[in-house]
Short mmCIF file of all heavy atoms in Angstrom, two decimals:
data_model
loop_
_atom_site.label_atom_id
_atom_site.label_comp_id
_atom_site.label_asym_id
_atom_site.label_seq_id
_atom_site.Cartn_x
_atom_site.Cartn_y
_atom_site.Cartn_z
N GLY Y 154 8.56 13.04 -30.27
CA GLY Y 154 8.38 14.02 -31.34
C GLY Y 154 7.11 14.90 -31.10
O GLY Y 154 6.09 14.35 -30.72
N VAL Y 155 7.26 16.21 -31.35
CA VAL Y 155 6.18 17.08 -31.21
C VAL Y 155 5.98 17.79 -32.62
O VAL Y 155 4.97 17.73 -33.27
CB VAL Y 155 6.25 18.13 -30.06
CG1 VAL Y 155 5.11 19.12 -30.08
CG2 VAL Y 155 6.33 17.44 -28.72
N ALA Y 156 6.98 18.50 -32.98
CA ALA Y 156 7.00 19.24 -34.25
C ALA Y 156 8.35 19.63 -34.63
O ALA Y 156 9.28 19.76 -33.76
CB ALA Y 156 6.13 20.54 -34.11
N THR Y 157 8.61 19.74 -35.96
CA THR Y 157 9.85 20.36 -36.44
C THR Y 157 9.46 21.51 -37.37
O THR Y 157 8.70 21.33 -38.36
CB THR Y 157 10.69 19.27 -37.29
OG1 THR Y 157 10.84 18.15 -36.39
CG2 THR Y 157 12.05 19.88 -37.62
N LEU Y 158 9.95 22.70 -36.99
CA LEU Y 158 9.61 23.88 -37.66
C LEU Y 158 10.73 24.22 -38.64
O LEU Y 158 11.92 24.17 -38.32
CB LEU Y 158 9.45 25.04 -36.76
CG LEU Y 158 8.73 24.81 -35.38
CD1 LEU Y 158 8.72 26.05 -34.46
CD2 LEU Y 158 7.21 24.37 -35.66
N SER Y 159 10.34 24.61 -39.88
CA SER Y 159 11.41 25.02 -40.86
C SER Y 159 11.17 26.50 -41.17
O SER Y 159 10.06 26.91 -41.71
CB SER Y 159 11.25 24.20 -42.15
OG SER Y 159 11.33 22.82 -41.82
N PHE Y 160 12.22 27.32 -40.97
CA PHE Y 160 12.14 28.72 -41.27
C PHE Y 160 12.95 29.04 -42.53
O PHE Y 160 13.82 28.28 -42.88
CB PHE Y 160 12.64 29.54 -40.06
CG PHE Y 160 11.82 29.41 -38.89
CD1 PHE Y 160 12.16 28.54 -37.86
CD2 PHE Y 160 10.70 30.21 -38.69
CE1 PHE Y 160 11.40 28.45 -36.67
CE2 PHE Y 160 9.91 30.09 -37.56
CZ PHE Y 160 10.25 29.25 -36.53
N THR Y 161 12.67 30.16 -43.11
CA THR Y 161 13.52 30.70 -44.24
C THR Y 161 13.75 32.25 -43.96
O THR Y 161 13.02 32.78 -43.14
CB THR Y 161 12.78 30.57 -45.60
OG1 THR Y 161 11.67 31.44 -45.64
CG2 THR Y 161 12.26 29.10 -45.83
N PRO Y 162 14.58 32.79 -44.72
CA PRO Y 162 14.72 34.32 -44.61
C PRO Y 162 13.41 35.03 -44.84
O PRO Y 162 13.08 36.10 -44.22
CB PRO Y 162 15.76 34.63 -45.60
CG PRO Y 162 16.56 33.45 -45.85
CD PRO Y 162 15.63 32.31 -45.64
N LEU Y 163 12.51 34.43 -45.61
CA LEU Y 163 11.19 35.03 -45.84
C LEU Y 163 10.29 35.01 -44.66
O LEU Y 163 9.27 35.59 -44.55
CB LEU Y 163 10.47 34.31 -47.02
CG LEU Y 163 10.78 34.74 -48.40
CD1 LEU Y 163 9.93 33.96 -49.39
CD2 LEU Y 163 10.60 36.25 -48.65
N SER Y 164 10.67 34.14 -43.64
CA SER Y 164 9.87 34.11 -42.43
C SER Y 164 10.00 35.46 -41.65
O SER Y 164 9.07 35.80 -40.86
CB SER Y 164 10.38 32.98 -41.47
OG SER Y 164 10.45 31.74 -42.06
N GLY Y 165 11.09 36.16 -41.88
CA GLY Y 165 11.21 37.47 -41.19
C GLY Y 165 11.67 37.36 -39.75
O GLY Y 165 12.59 37.99 -39.37
N LYS Y 166 11.02 36.59 -38.98
CA LYS Y 166 11.34 36.25 -37.60
C LYS Y 166 11.34 34.78 -37.38
O LYS Y 166 10.47 34.08 -38.00
CB LYS Y 166 10.33 36.87 -36.67
CG LYS Y 166 10.34 38.34 -36.41
CD LYS Y 166 9.32 38.69 -35.36
CE LYS Y 166 8.89 40.14 -35.45
NZ LYS Y 166 7.73 40.46 -34.65
N ALA Y 167 12.12 34.26 -36.54
CA ALA Y 167 12.08 32.80 -36.13
C ALA Y 167 11.24 32.72 -34.95
O ALA Y 167 11.70 32.69 -33.82
CB ALA Y 167 13.50 32.32 -35.90
N GLU Y 168 9.93 32.75 -35.21
CA GLU Y 168 8.89 32.83 -34.17
C GLU Y 168 7.74 31.96 -34.55
O GLU Y 168 7.30 32.04 -35.72
CB GLU Y 168 8.53 34.30 -34.06
CG GLU Y 168 7.77 34.66 -32.84
CD GLU Y 168 7.57 36.16 -32.74
OE1 GLU Y 168 6.57 36.59 -33.39
OE2 GLU Y 168 8.32 36.89 -32.14
#
Side-chain angles (χ1 to χ4, degrees):
Chain Y
V155 175
T157 307
L158 319 174
S159 305
F160 294 98
T161 71
L163 276 183
S164 309
K166 285 185 202 170
E168 197 175 81

